[in-house]
Amino acid sequence: DAKTTQPPSMDCAEGRAANLPCNHSTISGNEYVYWYRQIHSQGPQYIIHGLKNNETNEMASLIITEDRKSSTLILPHATLRDTAVYYCIVRVGYGSARQLTFGSGTQLTVLP
Amino acid sequence: DTEVTQTPKHLVMGMTNKKSLKCEQHMGHRAMYWYKQKAKKPPELMFVYSYEKLSINESVPSRFSPECPNSSLLNLHLHALQPEDSALYLCASSQDAGIAFFGQGTRLTVV
């Protein structure tokens, strides 16, 4: 699975949009981009995933560049409860069970 | 039901003890995972089960022994652990290699 690069930490003001970048320049054509987050001492939580089109759900939006070498997770109106470590993971989406490998992630702190 | 349930939530064990961690899901997922997470580090994959068979073992020491008795249950048997094995142990499940659902983990302390 392709390797990802994320900034170690980011701050965001409460109520503003949080934009979390991820670089995955070695992504293959059949690999999806997944985002998870982990609030302190809890299990990771799935947020969103995509292949090449932009995606939106009730939690967030995912913007993938046309060359698919990078993506941005957008939390449109960040709240204090969004403070967490956010992980960007690239992997094949379907097929036999494969590793889900976590990188270092980005610690997002939402400030009041 | 989109829950993965892990028991116990906390466990303290001595280095000579034998204990087991339990994980249960009723989503019909056929892939199940064990992860270990140390403080301020990302989760590290330990084992992957696919259709109740061990498909990936990330060179985990034999003092950790996984077991998948049926499609809903995943156990992690612990024996002769060391203090450095103290960590949060996370279980996850997914439908093949799709979206993974994680439990809240078992906080293990080895004394």
Side-chain angles (χ1 to χ4, degrees):
Chain A
D1 294 330
K3 184 179 168 61
T4 61
T5 304
Q6 299 177 252
S9 64
M10 293 181 64
D11 291 340
C12 175
E14 188 177 18
R16 305 297 292 267
N19 296 281
L20 293 96
C22 179
N23 286 323
H24 32 78
S25 58
T26 60
I27 191 170
S28 301
N30 63 347
E31 288 181 316
Y32 288 68
V33 180
Y34 289 81
W35 283 84
Y36 286 79
R37 74 180 182 183
Q38 187 174 24
I39 296 169
H40 182 62
S41 293
Q42 297 184 19
Q45 176 191 25
Y46 164 80
I47 301 172
I48 197 166
H49 76 288
L51 183 63
K52 53 184 177 181
N53 297 322
N54 297 339
E55 302 287 344
T56 295
N57 63 21
E58 65 278 3
M59 289 183 69
S61 295
L62 174 60
I63 308 298
I64 303 173
T65 58
E66 194 168 338
D67 63 7
R68 301 207 324 121
K69 292 185 177 182
S70 66
S71 60
T72 301
L73 178 75
I74 301 172
L75 308 179
H77 306 287
T79 71
L80 298 178
R81 288 180 296 180
D82 292 322
T83 292
V85 179
Y86 287 77
Y87 296 101
C88 167
I89 299 169
V90 172
R91 66 180 298 204
V92 173
Y94 300 97
S96 59
R98 293 172 60 92
Q99 294 96 323
L100 178 65
T101 302
F102 289 81
S104 299
T106 296
Q107 170 67 58
L108 174 69
T109 302
V110 180
L111 303 170
Chain B
D1 181 5
T2 57
E3 250 187 41
V4 175
T5 304
Q6 290 188 244
T7 54
K9 289 188 170 31
H10 301 273
L11 178 64
V12 179
M13 62 182 290
M15 288 188 283
T16 58
N17 290 160
K18 287 184 182 181
K19 296 287 185 183
S20 297
L21 309 185
K22 181 179 170 182
C23 174
E24 194 166 3
Q25 58 90 12
H26 296 287
M27 295 176 278
H29 291 171
R30 304 318 295 259
M32 296 186 77
Y33 309 76
W34 278 116
Y35 286 83
K36 173 183 177 179
Q37 186 173 27
K38 303 283 277 184
K40 299 190 185 303
K41 297 290 188 183
E44 293 178 27
L45 184 67
M46 301 174 72
F47 303 103
V48 180
Y49 271 81
S50 177
Y51 290 86
E52 300 163 46
K53 294 201 182 328
L54 183 64
S55 64
I56 297 173
N57 176 342
E58 293 285 9
S59 303
V60 178
S62 60
R63 58 186 184 269
F64 296 92
S65 175
E67 179 197 19
C68 190
N70 62 56
S71 59
S72 299
L73 278 177
L74 186 66
N75 298 321
L76 186 63
H77 302 299
L78 314 172
H79 172 53
L81 295 193
Q82 303 297 310
E84 57 265 29
D85 296 321
S86 299
L88 180 68
Y89 287 84
L90 292 160
C91 174
S93 70
S94 72
Q95 184 58 24
D96 293 326
I99 300 163
F101 291 81
F102 284 80
Q104 293 305 294
T106 294
R107 177 78 57 189
L108 174 68
T109 303
V110 182
V111 298

